[in-house]
């Protein structure tokens, strides 16, 4: 199930897992580092919220990729969320490429730093 959820998250920039919470990929704009005269590229960070919002688009995505009807896909997603929550209560879980989930009175998410493929660009003043 995690490969499907990862694919959905990377494509739609959000995913909501029942009993766990929602993950959102947020883009930070490019920054100008005036002191070092660099234009830093845009960055991405993953935000976690304990709120559960039912996502019909996710259910459809799971159903289409697993050859399941909507009700079966919804049940599979809910069962997956409940099983993951039970697992987190026993030990932390590392979601490859996304971050680490653990349970301490509630679910805590430690995002993995997403590396930039773009490099900073020199930002020199142009006098004409």
């Amino acid at each position: 199930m995690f490969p499907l959820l990862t694919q959905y998250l990377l494509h739609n920039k959000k995913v909501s897992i029942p009993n766990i919470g929602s993950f959102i990929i947020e883009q930070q704009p490019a920054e100008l580092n005036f002191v070092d005269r660099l234009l830093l590229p845009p960055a991405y960070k993953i935000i976690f919220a304990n709120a559960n919002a039912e996502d019909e688009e996710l259910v459809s995505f799971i159903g289409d990729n697993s050859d399941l009807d909507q009700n079966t896909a919804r049940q599979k997603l809910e069962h997956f969320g409940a099983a993951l929550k039970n697992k987190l209560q026993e030990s932390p879980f590392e979601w490859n490429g996304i971050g680490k989930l653990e349970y301490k009175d509630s679910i805590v998410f430690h995002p993995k730093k997403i590396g930039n493929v773009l490099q900073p660009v020199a930002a020199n003043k142009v006098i004409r």
Side-chain angles (χ1 to χ4, degrees):
M1 178 67 82
F2 269 111
L4 280 177
L5 294 176
T6 303
Q7 182 181 2
Y8 186 83
L9 174 63
L10 295 177
H11 185 264
N12 293 342
K13 308 291 188 244
K14 64 180 172 102
V15 68
S16 182
I17 303 172
N19 298 314
I20 301 297
S22 300
F23 299 86
I24 300 168
I25 297 178
E26 187 176 275
Q27 181 179 2
Q28 305 295 309
E31 290 183 33
L32 177 62
N33 183 337
F34 189 74
V35 175
D36 295 331
R37 295 183 180 180
L38 290 174
L39 181 61
L40 304 174
Y44 294 91
K45 72 177 186 178
I46 301 174
I47 299 170
F48 173 73
N50 283 329
N52 285 323
E54 191 167 314
D55 189 355
E56 289 300 319
E57 197 174 314
L58 173 60
V59 173
S60 296
F61 179 79
I62 292 170
D64 293 344
N65 286 292
S66 302
D67 295 327
L68 302 171
D69 63 273
Q70 298 293 321
N71 290 332
T72 307
R74 183 177 291 106
Q75 290 172 353
K76 184 176 180 179
L77 181 61
E78 289 173 4
H79 177 71
F80 174 78
L84 180 59
K85 186 172 183 177
N86 289 337
K87 181 179 179 180
L88 288 175
Q89 290 174 345
E90 296 170 10
S91 65
F93 177 77
E94 183 73 32
W95 188 352
N96 289 335
I98 306 300
K100 181 180 176 182
L101 290 164
E102 62 183 338
Y103 193 85
K104 293 180 182 174
D105 297 327
S106 65
I107 296 174
V108 179
F109 176 66
H110 305 282
K112 184 174 183 177
K113 185 170 169 60
I114 300 174
N116 272 335
V117 289
L118 302 174
Q119 298 300 316
V121 177
N124 295 318
K125 187 174 183 180
V126 177
I127 300 173
R128 294 185 189 233

